[in-house]
Amino acid sequence: MSTTPTAPPRPSAADIKRLLSAAFIGTALEWYDYFLYGTAAALVFNKLFFPSLDPATATIASFVTFAVGFAARPIGAAVFGHIGDRHGRKAALIITVVLMGASTGCIGLLPDYDAIGVWAPVLLAALRFLQGISVGGEWSGAMLLTLEHTPKEKHGSYSSIPQLGSPVGTLLSSGAFALVGMLPDDAFYSWGWRIPFLAAFGLLGFALYLRLRIEESPVFRAMHANAEREGPRPAPLIEAFRRTWGRMLIGVATAFLGIGGFFLLTTYVISYGTEQLGIDKSVMINATLLAAVAEIAVIVIAGRLADRVGPWKVCAAGGVASVLVAFPTCWLIDTRHTGLVLLGVALGVAVISIPYAAIGAVISIPYAAIGAVITGMFPDTVRYSAVAMSYNLAGVLGGLVPLAAAWLTGLADGASWGVALLLILIAACTATGSYVAGPPLHRRLGPDHPEHPEHPATVKATA
C-alpha cells in the first residue's frame, strides 16, 4: 500500500547558510568554466583551430563547436536527472563539477591546428561536448538543493542565489580573458589564452570541497525512504515525459530568454563588435564585464520582487522589456563609440537578466510545492529529470543563437537589424511561456488535481 512520505526535518540556519554558499560558489565556478569557451570561441578558436577558413566562415565554425556543448546538455539532463531522482541531488552535483573542471582544464592543454591538423578541432568539440554533459545537470541540481532545503516563505530570495552564478561566472571568465588580453597578440594567441582554462584544475579542487560538505536534500531523503518501502519506481525521465510533457514545453519557453538572449548579447556581440565593427576586443570584453555587474543587481531585485508579485509576472515583464530594448541595444553597439557600446551591452543583458532571475524565483500560486516557476511545476519523484530536461532543451535552442545571429548578420550584409529581430523573437517566446505558466496553468492544475505537486498522488512512490 502507498503512503505519503513524512515531512522532512527543517534544516538549521547554519545548514542553510552552508548550502547557499556551496550552491552559489559551486555554480559560479561551473559557469566560469562553461563561459570561458564562449569568449574563446569569439576571440581565439576561429583563428587557431580553423585557420584555413576565411574569417567569416571560421567564426561560424567556431560557434558550431560552441553549439555542440548545448546539444549535449539534454543528454546530461537525462543522465544526471536519473542520478538526481534515484541516487540523490548531491551525488549528481559532485559528478558534474568534476566533469566540468577536468574537461575545461584539458582545453587549455590542446594543441592547435598547426600542430595536429584536423584533430585539433575534433578534440576541441569533444571536450566541449563533455562540458555540455556536465552543465546539463548543474543548474537543476543546484536549484533543487536550494529550494528543497529552504522554507517556502523565502524561496524568492533564496532561489535567486544559484542564479547569481551566471553573472559571477561571466565576470570571472571575462575578467580572466581581459587580463590575458593585455598581452601582446603573439603571446596571447600562443599561450596567454590557455591560462584561464588551466586555472579550472585549481578551481575544481575548491568546488569539489564545497560540494562534499553539503547535505542531501531533505525532500529527496524522505522520497527515497518512501520508495524503499514501496519497491522500484519507473524510470524518472520516462515518467516525466509521460505525465508532464506539456509543462516541460512551458519550461523550455520560460527559460529561453535567460539562455539564448544572454549568449546573443555576450558571446555573439563580442564577435560582432570585433569582426564586423572593428572594435578592440578589450572594449567588448569590458562591456561584458559591465553587463555582468548590472545583471547581479537585477537578479537580486527581481528575485525579491517575485516574492511579492509572482515570478511569472516578473518573467513576462522582463520578456516584454527585452522586446522594447532590442533595437536600441543594437543601435548603441553600431555607433562604435566605446561608452555607447558599454551602455548597449549592459542595457541588453540587464533587462534580459530580469526573466533569468524570475525563472528561479518564488511562484505565488497557492498549489505550488516548491515555489519556483520551473521546479514548482513538477512532482518530487521526477522533478530533477523534468526540470533538467526543460531547462536544457532551452539550452539547445540557446546554443544555436550565436550561429543564427552570425547567419542573419551575413544575410543583412553586416547590419544588426537581424540580431535585433532574433532577440525580439526569443523574448516573445519567454513572455508567452511565462504567462502560460501563470493563469492558464493555474486553471488547469487546481489544488485537488492529481498531478499537483502537493497532491499525495504525486509524492508517493509509484509501484
Side-chain angles (χ1 to χ4, degrees), residues 201-219:
F201 286 127
L203 295 173
L204 168 59
F206 181 49
L208 184 59
Y209 167 76
L210 292 172
R211 290 279 164 93
L212 289 171
R213 295 180 68 236
I214 60 178
E215 297 293 331
E216 181 55 84
S217 158
V219 173

Side-chain angles (χ1 to χ4, degrees), residues 289-305:
L289 291 172
L290 178 62
V293 172
E295 187 182 5
I296 290 172
V298 173
I299 284 177
V300 172
I301 294 170
R304 294 179 179 178
L305 180 62

